[in-house]
């Protein structure tokens, strides 16, 4: 499959938020209970200043956005600059095709260039496919906040996973 990465920008607002909202409404991959407004994109852009924020495009389908990924600071204090939190979402018709692995490779390369040597992922305990994906790619569970959230009437743990580059 031919995909390409572009720097996320204003023109990606609707595609990114629509994709995020799909997961909000149909899964445990995104924590919100209800669809988020397009203004959340502004927060994404602010959170990722100085960090890689990418849109994934299907090169065979008129360069349609089929995913996005970004790193953001794990903590605002300078002592934590070596660590970043990752977020990525891929359109369901494109999952299971190696795109997630390619995104993670691109994000980790960008992280290394910026002196980041620890990537953290916050994964919902009910998102088994994401937990497996991260484990297959070298992440290890490093913390679990039990029953800190509730979605669709179900208690959720926030599972923190860590990859040391």
């Amino acid at each position: 499959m031919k995909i390409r990465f572009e720097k996320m920008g204003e023109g990606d607002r609707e595609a990114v938020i629509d994709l995020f909202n799909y997961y909000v409404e149909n899964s445990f991959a995104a924590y919100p209970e209800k669809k988020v407004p397009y203004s959340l994109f502004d927060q994404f852009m602010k959170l990722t200043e100085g960090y890689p924020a990418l849109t994934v495009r299907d090169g065979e389908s008129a360069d349609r956005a089929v995913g996005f990924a970004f790193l953001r600071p794990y903590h605002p204090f300078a002592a934590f600059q070596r660590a970043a939190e990752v977020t990525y979402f891929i359109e369901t018709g494109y999952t299971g095709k190696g795109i997630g692995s390619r995104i993670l490779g691109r994000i980790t390369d960008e992280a290394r260039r910026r002196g980041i040597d620890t990537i953290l992922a916050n994964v919902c305990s009910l998102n088994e496919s994401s937990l497996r994906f991260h484990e297959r790619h070298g992440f290890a569970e490093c913390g679990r906040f039990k029953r800190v959230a509730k979605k669709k009437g179900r208690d959720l743990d926030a599972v923190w996973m860590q990859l040391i580059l």
Side-chain angles (χ1 to χ4, degrees), residues 28 31-33 124-126 145-158:
F28 292 100
Y31 288 117
E33 287 252 40
C124 173
S125 58
L126 298 179
F145 300 137
K146 295 181 184 267
R147 298 183 59 230
V148 293
K150 190 170 219 160
K151 183 173 180 177
K152 299 180 183 181
R154 296 182 66 183
D155 290 328
L156 312 175
D157 297 351

Side-chain angles (χ1 to χ4, degrees), residues 2-3 11 33 37 42 44 49 56 63 72 76 81 85 87 92-93 97-98 114 121 124-126 130 136 148 159 162:
K2 185 178 176 185
I3 64 162
E33 287 252 40
D42 298 324
F44 285 172
E49 285 178 5
V56 182
D63 291 328
R72 66 179 176 273
Q81 286 181 344
E85 186 177 345
T87 295
T92 57
K97 299 180 183 207
R114 288 169 169 75
C124 173
S125 58
L126 298 179
S130 184
R136 277 194 320 269
V148 293
V159 180
Q162 180 179 23

Side-chain angles (χ1 to χ4, degrees), residues 71-84:
L71 287 178
R72 66 179 176 273
Y74 162 68
H75 196 281
F77 292 150
F80 292 94
Q81 286 181 344
R82 69 185 305 175

Side-chain angles (χ1 to χ4, degrees), residues 4-63:
R4 64 186 175 86
F5 299 102
E6 286 184 0
K7 183 177 179 181
M8 189 186 302
E10 179 58 38
D12 300 313
R13 176 182 298 270
E14 288 184 12
V16 165
I17 298 303
D18 287 347
L19 178 55
F20 186 75
N21 277 332
Y22 172 84
Y23 283 97
V24 165
E25 291 186 307
N26 297 289
S27 77
F28 292 100
Y31 288 117
E33 287 252 40
K34 296 181 175 139
K35 288 172 72 170
V36 300
Y38 289 117
S39 61
L40 180 66
F41 186 80
D42 298 324
Q43 289 177 279
F44 285 172
M45 296 306 288
K46 185 162 181 56
L47 280 172
T48 61
E49 285 178 5
Y51 289 79
L54 307 169
T55 303
V56 182
R57 300 204 179 278
D58 179 344
E60 298 170 1
S61 181
D63 291 328

